[in-house]
């Protein structure tokens, strides 16, 4: 049976899923250009999609996981919540009413190895290209930023298109919480620190894509879902805190004069290619990781892209129930809306 070399963060979850027979392990060499994404899409077409672990990705030294969140039943089990829909929604809503604040610790697995000079993050951390028409290769990472005014942290999943010389183009949207942080930094003409997080705990991934009020911390929700505070460590090169149990952290900054580059096309969650837009350039200042790291990737427009946002169903149920509490029994977003638009 396959053993994850360092069962940290998402690696621990994958080991559990391997032990339960929920992971397709691919040992042969696969290409990060089209082939990895192609396998994701083929698995997505199965009635029940297993998680997948690529042990030999061409050009990289670490394994890459995917499709862990493709099945709703598996997501619910990972959270330790009821599998019946209404019971799950009520349990998730109860969790969202609470919070367990994160704690900052002195060190953690994500900083067992530290690179602050003479490194090439883009050749070390696996990125993928999904379609023939993509603008380039991409990271689909959780991104941590901080409000320059209040110091409140935010975490969300925002794509990064690979450039060169330790630079990416980061998809900062003005309406997103990271975009609100970025606007405040620009008003101050100040550098905007950002950290890209790979391979953290499943509960942190799911919290990162849950829509919370501006200023409320996703790590506090993750603490409720984990049943204990999320441990954070201070970054080595920027003023941010990141999950100690992450497999990989890429630190960096978007700095004045906030140069931009074309980003896209890249598949969107509604299965069309995005229109290229000018987005800010992110300059990488450091990389830290555990001793035997594992990365993780998501392809938009798949079951995983929908089901990782299972909290959208919860929010829709809560909204409709609030309008007509006695009449409404249940409510759900359909796959036809990408579990997003109705």
């Amino acid at each position: 049976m396959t053993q994850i070399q360092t069962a940290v963060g998402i690696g621990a979850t994958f080991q559990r899923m391997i032990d339960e027979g929920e992971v397709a392990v691919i040992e042969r060499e696969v290409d990060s250009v089209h082939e990895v994404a192609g396998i994701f899409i083929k698995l997505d077409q199965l009635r029940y999609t297993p998680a997948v672990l690529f042990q030999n990705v061409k050009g990289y030294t670490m394994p890459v996981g995917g499709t862990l969140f493709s099945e709703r039943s598996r997501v619910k089990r990972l959270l330790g919540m009821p599998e019946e829909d209404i019971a799950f929604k009520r349990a998730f809503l109860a969790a969202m009413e609470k919070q367990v604040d994160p704690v900052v610790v002195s060190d953690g697995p994500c900083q067992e190895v530290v690179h602050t000079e003479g490194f090439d993050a883009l050749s070390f951390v696996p990125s993928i290209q999904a379609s023939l028409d993509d603008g380039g290769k991409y990271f689909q990472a959780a991104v941590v930023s901080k409000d320059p005014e209040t110091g409140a942290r935010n975490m969300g999943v925002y794509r990064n298109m690979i450039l060169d010389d330790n630079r990416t183009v980061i998809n900062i949207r003005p309406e997103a919480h990271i975009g609100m942080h970025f606007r405040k930094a620009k008003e101050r003409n100040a550098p905007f620190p950002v950290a890209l997080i790979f391979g953290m705990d499943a509960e942190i991934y799911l919290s990162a894509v849950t829509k919370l009020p501006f200023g409320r911390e996703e790590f506090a929700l993750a603490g409720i879902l984990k049943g204990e505070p999320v441990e954070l460590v201070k970054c080595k090169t920027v003023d941010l805190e990141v999950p100690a149990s992450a497999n990989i952290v890429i630190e960096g900054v978007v700095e004045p004069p906030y140069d931009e580059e074309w980003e896209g096309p890249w598949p969107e969650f509604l299965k069309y290619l995005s229109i290229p837009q000018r987005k800010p350039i992110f300059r990488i200042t450091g990389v830290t990781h555990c001793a035997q790291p594992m990365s993780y990737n998501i392809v938009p427009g798949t079951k995983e892209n929908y089901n990782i946002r299972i909290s959208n169903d919860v929010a829709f149920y809560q909204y409709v129930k609030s309008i007509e509490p006695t009449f409404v029994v249940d409510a759900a977003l359909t796959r036809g809306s990408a579990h997003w638009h109705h």
Side-chain angles (χ1 to χ4, degrees), residues 300-313:
T302 59
K303 286 190 290 186
E304 174 164 56
N305 190 203
Y306 306 153
N307 290 331
I308 197 173
R309 291 181 170 88
I310 196 169
S311 56
N312 284 354
D313 257 13

Side-chain angles (χ1 to χ4, degrees), residues 80-118:
M81 290 187 175
E83 291 197 30
E84 193 276 324
D85 281 343
I86 296 178
F88 168 77
K89 289 167 187 171
R90 289 172 178 167
F92 201 97
L93 284 171
M96 290 182 67
E97 292 176 356
K98 309 170 188 176
Q99 66 177 39
V100 173
D101 291 332
V103 296
V104 178
V105 297
S106 59
D107 56 26
C110 75
Q111 293 180 344
E112 289 174 338
V113 181
V114 177
H115 305 278
T116 58
E117 57 183 28

Side-chain angles (χ1 to χ4, degrees), residues 100-103 219-220 222-224 226-232:
V100 173
D101 291 332
V103 296
F219 290 130
I224 283 292
K226 283 173 59 67
E228 60 184 8
V230 174
E231 293 188 341
L232 305 177

Side-chain angles (χ1 to χ4, degrees), residues 9-330:
I10 202 76
T13 305
F14 262 80
Q15 189 61 65
R16 171 187 161 191
M17 291 296 101
I18 288 171
D19 295 343
E20 295 180 11
E22 290 268 1
V23 181
V25 179
I26 299 178
E27 297 180 350
R28 69 169 179 85
E29 183 181 78
V30 294
D31 201 316
S32 60
V33 177
H34 305 145
E35 189 175 14
V36 167
I39 294 171
F40 283 166
I41 292 167
K42 282 294 185 182
L43 290 171
D44 190 66
Q45 295 168 359
L46 298 175
R47 183 179 296 274
Y48 187 87
T49 299
V52 63
L53 178 66
F54 301 102
Q55 292 190 313
N56 185 7
V57 180
K58 183 178 180 181
Y60 300 106
T61 59
M62 71 182 73
V64 175
T67 64
L68 176 66
F69 304 102
S70 290
E71 295 297 332
R72 293 198 153 210
S73 60
R74 189 161 60 234
V75 171
K76 293 171 183 177
R77 281 191 286 120
L78 288 173
L79 291 174
M81 290 187 175
E83 291 197 30
E84 193 276 324
D85 281 343
I86 296 178
F88 168 77
K89 289 167 187 171
R90 289 172 178 167
F92 201 97
L93 284 171
M96 290 182 67
E97 292 176 356
K98 309 170 188 176
Q99 66 177 39
V100 173
D101 291 332
V103 296
V104 178
V105 297
S106 59
D107 56 26
C110 75
Q111 293 180 344
E112 289 174 338
V113 181
V114 177
H115 305 278
T116 58
E117 57 183 28
F119 65 92
D120 181 2
L122 304 181
S123 66
F124 174 68
V125 181
S127 55
I128 63 171
Q129 184 171 341
S131 81
L132 297 174
D133 297 314
D134 291 351
K137 298 184 72 183
Y138 274 82
F139 293 140
Q140 289 280 101
V143 179
V144 175
S145 63
K146 188 177 286 188
D147 188 318
E149 184 178 27
T150 67
R153 285 180 291 258
N154 178 72
M155 177 176 57
V157 175
Y158 307 104
R159 65 180 183 252
N160 279 252
M161 190 180 84
I162 307 305
L163 294 178
D164 55 16
D165 298 328
N166 281 326
R167 300 178 308 141
T168 73
V169 187
I170 185 168
N171 183 34
I172 296 179
R173 305 190 312 276
E175 77 281 4
H177 292 175
I178 189 176
M180 299 176 190
H181 288 179
F182 184 46
R183 183 176 68 248
K184 291 182 180 182
K186 291 175 72 175
E187 288 170 352
R188 292 163 170 75
N189 197 39
F192 182 57
V194 172
L196 312 185
I197 317 301
F198 303 81
M200 64 278 196
D201 297 320
E203 297 90 347
I204 299 178
Y205 267 109
L206 292 162
S207 299
V209 297
T210 297
K211 294 184 180 299
L212 298 176
F214 182 64
R216 184 175 175 194
E217 186 165 20
E218 288 79 7
F219 290 130
L221 173 60
I224 283 292
L225 299 179
K226 283 173 59 67
E228 60 184 8
V230 174
E231 293 188 341
L232 305 177
V233 294
K234 291 184 177 296
C235 287
K236 296 296 185 180
T237 65
V238 294
D239 182 22
L240 290 171
E241 297 80 37
V242 294
S245 62
N247 274 245
I248 309 162
V249 178
I250 295 180
E251 305 174 4
V253 65
V254 180
E255 54 194 350
Y258 311 111
D259 291 333
E260 296 180 336
E261 186 54 84
W262 288 104
E263 185 271 321
W266 173 249
E268 291 283 3
F269 62 91
L270 287 173
K271 297 188 177 182
Y272 60 81
L273 286 176
S274 64
I275 298 172
Q277 300 180 63
R278 302 282 294 184
K279 294 293 176 69
I281 293 175
F282 169 66
R283 182 176 64 84
I284 298 169
T285 56
V287 179
T288 70
H289 57 86
C290 63
Q292 299 287 341
M294 169 184 170
S295 192
Y296 193 84
N297 265 304
I298 297 171
V299 172
T302 59
K303 286 190 290 186
E304 174 164 56
N305 190 203
Y306 306 153
N307 290 331
I308 197 173
R309 291 181 170 88
I310 196 169
S311 56
N312 284 354
D313 257 13
V314 176
F316 184 63
Y317 165 77
Q318 181 184 39
Y319 172 71
V320 176
K321 190 77 170 171
S322 70
I323 296 173
E324 191 55 67
T326 57
F327 176 75
V328 173
V329 176
D330 195 5

